[in-house]
Amino acid sequence: AQKITQTQPGMFVQEKEAVTLDCTYDTSDPSYGLFWYKQPSSGEMIFLIYQGSYDQQNATEGRYSLNFQKARKSANLVISASQLGDSAMYFCAMRPSNQAGTALIFGKGTTLSVSS
Amino acid sequence: GAVVSQHPSRVICKSGTSVKIECRSLDFQATTMFWYRQFPKQSLMLMATSNEGSKATYEQGVEKDKFLINHASLTLSTLTVTSAHPEDSSFYICSARDGLVPGSGANVLTFGAGSRLTVL
């Protein structure tokens, strides 16, 4: 079965610290895509970072990096130097087969709270 | 970047009425759009896949007659909640395939801002 698991309902971090949001996935497809989205209280979904199953290197995008451990089926998001504006809900998602016409499967999300 | 416009952002209606939510791709053509539903502080659950010019594909457990999806053009998909009841109150969000992630060849889904439906 295709599944995304985020085990941290909430995470708390202070400004300027790094934080890791956990994500594990389950799929039998050899090709898949992994995504992280941020959802602030306004509700919009903001794309952060992508990792393909065949990508050799971990994805990075500014302060975001994805710690991809394929054998462990994990795709943790690392946010460096947290900012107050990072407070939001974060979703890990997977696209099975990584075909363009395939919908994303989302985890339950992790609420990140950044304090000053 | 690509923009998906969703309207209305908030709607309050009486029980028994129908509500239409529009999802438009503003600067790209979307042959496929996806409709998700999200309860407060919960995950996004896929409701249906909307394909231009053909019938939508609904996920198991989603009532086709309750949630009517029409994808009449390459830039517009609509979700109509028919005979809405309080249990249909939720956050509905659409998404469409955007361009490629630079250097990866992967397509990113761009989401609309969502529509919060409250049925009284």
Side-chain angles (χ1 to χ4, degrees):
Chain A
Q2 324 274 15
K3 189 178 180 181
I4 290 283
T5 301
Q6 293 179 257
T7 58
Q8 306 156 314
M11 288 288 285
F12 298 86
V13 68
Q14 286 201 312
E15 263 186 306
K16 302 179 184 177
E17 291 184 349
V19 62
T20 297
L21 306 184
D22 295 342
C23 172
T24 58
Y25 60 91
D26 190 16
T27 181
S28 56
D29 289 331
S31 177
Y32 50 89
L34 297 162
F35 301 77
W36 277 92
Y37 282 84
K38 172 184 177 181
Q39 187 180 42
S41 56
S42 57
E44 61 191 303
M45 295 289 285
I46 303 168
F47 166 72
L48 297 178
I49 197 166
Y50 163 84
Q51 181 84 42
S53 58
Y54 293 122
D55 292 344
Q56 296 295 315
Q57 291 187 322
N58 286 345
T60 60
E61 192 66 50
R63 294 187 298 113
Y64 305 108
S65 60
L66 200 151
N67 184 0
F68 180 46
Q69 298 188 41
K70 194 170 183 177
R72 299 176 69 176
K73 293 192 174 180
S74 73
N76 298 340
L77 176 70
V78 180
I79 305 175
S80 63
S82 297
Q83 302 172 356
L84 293 177
D86 293 336
S87 294
M89 199 153 183
Y90 288 79
F91 289 98
C92 180
M94 175 175 66
R95 175 188 284 136
S97 76
N98 218 10
Q99 296 296 315
T102 307
L104 299 185
I105 299 169
F106 286 86
K108 291 187 174 181
T110 296
T111 300
L112 176 65
S113 300
V114 181
S115 59
S116 57
Chain B
V3 177
V4 173
S5 173
Q6 192 170 340
H7 179 80
S9 58
R10 291 179 182 272
V11 58
I12 300 173
C13 70
K14 292 182 179 179
S15 186
T17 60
S18 294
V19 173
K20 180 185 284 188
I21 300 170
E22 293 187 347
C23 180
R24 294 181 185 272
S25 55
L26 294 189
D27 49 4
F28 65 101
Q29 293 183 331
T31 54
T32 303
M33 290 186 177
F34 305 100
W35 287 93
Y36 289 86
R37 180 175 183 176
Q38 184 182 29
F39 291 106
K41 298 194 183 300
Q42 293 191 24
S43 185
L44 281 73
M45 301 303 297
L46 180 67
M47 297 176 66
T49 300
S50 170
N51 298 298
E52 187 269 334
S54 64
K55 290 184 179 180
T57 303
Y58 290 82
E59 294 299 300
Q60 192 172 14
V62 177
E63 299 176 58
K64 300 177 183 180
D65 296 332
K66 160 68 78 175
F67 301 101
L68 299 179
I69 291 173
N70 184 280
H71 195 152
S73 77
L74 287 171
T75 59
L76 174 65
S77 176
T78 60
L79 167 67
T80 301
V81 183
T82 63
S83 187
H85 290 283
E87 57 266 30
D88 298 325
S89 298
S90 190
F91 189 64
Y92 295 88
I93 189 165
C94 69
S95 65
R97 179 167 57 95
D98 187 1
L100 300 176
V101 176
S104 75
N107 291 102
V108 175
L109 279 189
T110 297
F111 285 80
S115 300
R116 192 165 303 282
L117 170 64
T118 302
V119 184
L120 303 177

